[in-house]
Amino acid sequence: MALWRNFIKFSKNFVTIKTKRWCAMSNQDFLIKQVLKEAKSIAILGLSPDESKPSNEVARYLLEQGYRVIPIHPKGGEILRIPIYRSLQEAFRAESQKGGIDILDIFRKSEAIFEIAREVLELETKPKCIWVQLGLQSSQSKEILENAGRIYFENLCIKLEHQRLVK
């Protein structure tokens, strides 16, 4: 089990990292960097087959960085030569047999995020982190997911954060 999952306490924009005792507050960048370094698989909900769309650009970048990208799109088919799951349930059920999904990256409208968050909490196997892309946010989703012990980032681009903190 990943180290960061058991030793994190949330407090607004900061996290406290537990070692032998609770230590000084660390900023969100530390947590983002840890999550991105430890993740191996990233499901992208709303991944578009259109190469000009941001979700497709992000997926290509993540593949180049060595992540296993799992497309989720209701139309099914294939994107970037990867079979598409049609729903969260289908993706998480199938991927639980392959080691699970570390990050769920959401490319949907802000109005849809709360229902997605509720759906995530109903999954048998849940992602360690829910990432809501740049320009999108939902305070209700943040609250219920963090209260359920999930790591939640919103209004951040996973590609830009990776380039800034990891690469």
Side-chain angles (χ1 to χ4, degrees), residues 23-52:
C23 59
M25 297 294 271
S26 175
N27 66 22
Q28 187 179 28
D29 286 350
F30 178 82
L31 181 57
I32 291 170
K33 185 174 182 177
Q34 286 302 112
V35 168
L36 291 173
K37 279 183 154 186
E38 293 181 13
K40 292 176 178 47
S41 58
I42 302 174
I44 302 180
L45 179 62
L47 177 54
S48 174
D50 183 344
E51 290 185 8
S52 68

Side-chain angles (χ1 to χ4, degrees), residues 72-112:
I72 305 172
H73 193 280
K75 292 183 181 177
E78 194 174 89
I79 296 177
L80 302 171
R81 297 188 205 140
I82 305 168
I84 299 169
Y85 292 107
R86 293 177 185 265
S87 69
L88 278 178
Q89 296 87 357
E90 180 186 4
F92 280 85
R93 192 176 319 113
E95 292 296 324
S96 68
Q97 316 247 328
K98 301 175 187 176
I101 295 172
D102 297 312
I103 299 172
L104 172 62
D105 190 9
I106 301 172
F107 278 90
R108 296 281 309 275
K109 293 181 180 180
S110 289
E111 302 82 54

